[in-house]
Amino acid sequence: LYIMPFCPIPHTQRDQIWLLAGIGIGYAVVSLLRRRTRPRAACPAAHVLLVNAQFSTARQKEEWKLLWSHVASDVYANEPNCLSYEFCDSTTDPTRAIIYERYVSRSDLDGAHQLSLQKWKEKYGKQLDALGDVQSQLVHYSESNIGHMDR
């Protein structure tokens, strides 16, 4: 029969303090590790606009995308509350695309972004008209902050 050389229950005040300190440090470490693995929202409840675009031809889409790249540069330079502004090509249909837009709030889309679009249309309006109509559907969303958008 084996007899332990010490009692696992802390009897002295010194041992009790060390036990509490160990529990406290362990709890703090676990809390920090949990925080590191949880995704954080860089912008709580960001406003998202998803533009579904249907072009008549793949060539029309490529020419339109080239013109759109100018407004994308302006948005990046002049709209700090635009978190994302990305043209995405469909992987299955060369005439389809989406534009994924994220803003700190809806007012950033309705305000500063509309001015950027207006300037873009004033500058490239004739070229856009020459390309013909693009069918589009706009859908607004609010992020739930479940999951993550970046690492």
Side-chain angles (χ1 to χ4, degrees):
L1 187 74
Y2 178 73
I3 298 175
M4 291 185 3
F6 68 94
C7 179
I9 299 171
H11 293 286
T12 67
Q13 186 177 12
R14 180 178 153 246
D15 290 343
Q16 291 170 355
I17 290 172
W18 277 110
L19 175 66
L20 291 175
I23 290 171
I25 291 170
Y27 179 77
V29 168
V30 168
S31 294
L32 288 173
L33 290 174
R34 281 189 177 167
R35 283 188 194 155
R36 290 183 76 200
T37 59
R38 270 190 218 146
R40 292 186 183 161
C43 182
H47 184 77
V48 175
L49 174 63
L50 185 63
V51 179
N52 288 292
Q54 175 68 56
F55 297 87
S56 55
T57 65
R59 181 176 179 185
Q60 180 197 30
K61 181 180 87 170
E62 291 306 314
E63 291 176 10
W64 195 92
K65 185 168 47 170
L66 182 63
L67 293 175
W68 183 84
S69 69
H70 298 288
V71 74
S73 296
D74 290 343
V75 166
Y76 186 79
N78 301 315
E79 295 182 40
N81 287 343
C82 180
L83 305 171
S84 300
Y85 195 63
E86 184 68 36
F87 190 100
C88 304
D89 292 301
S90 170
T91 58
T92 58
D93 183 348
T95 64
R96 294 194 63 81
I98 64 167
I99 299 173
Y100 185 83
E101 306 179 28
R102 290 179 69 230
Y103 300 89
V104 171
S105 69
R106 172 80 186 248
S107 62
D108 296 310
L109 167 65
D110 294 338
H113 186 64
Q114 296 309 309
L115 295 174
S116 295
L117 288 178
Q118 182 180 2
K119 290 177 187 175
W120 177 63
K121 288 177 183 175
E122 287 171 2
K123 188 171 184 178
Y124 296 100
K126 289 180 184 177
Q127 292 166 288
L128 290 167
D129 290 342
L131 290 175
D133 288 336
V134 175
Q135 301 298 318
S136 63
Q137 177 190 21
L138 283 63
V139 183
H140 295 266
Y141 298 92
S142 181
E143 289 183 355
S144 66
N145 299 123
I146 299 171
H148 69 277
M149 288 300 295
D150 53 15
R151 290 196 181 263

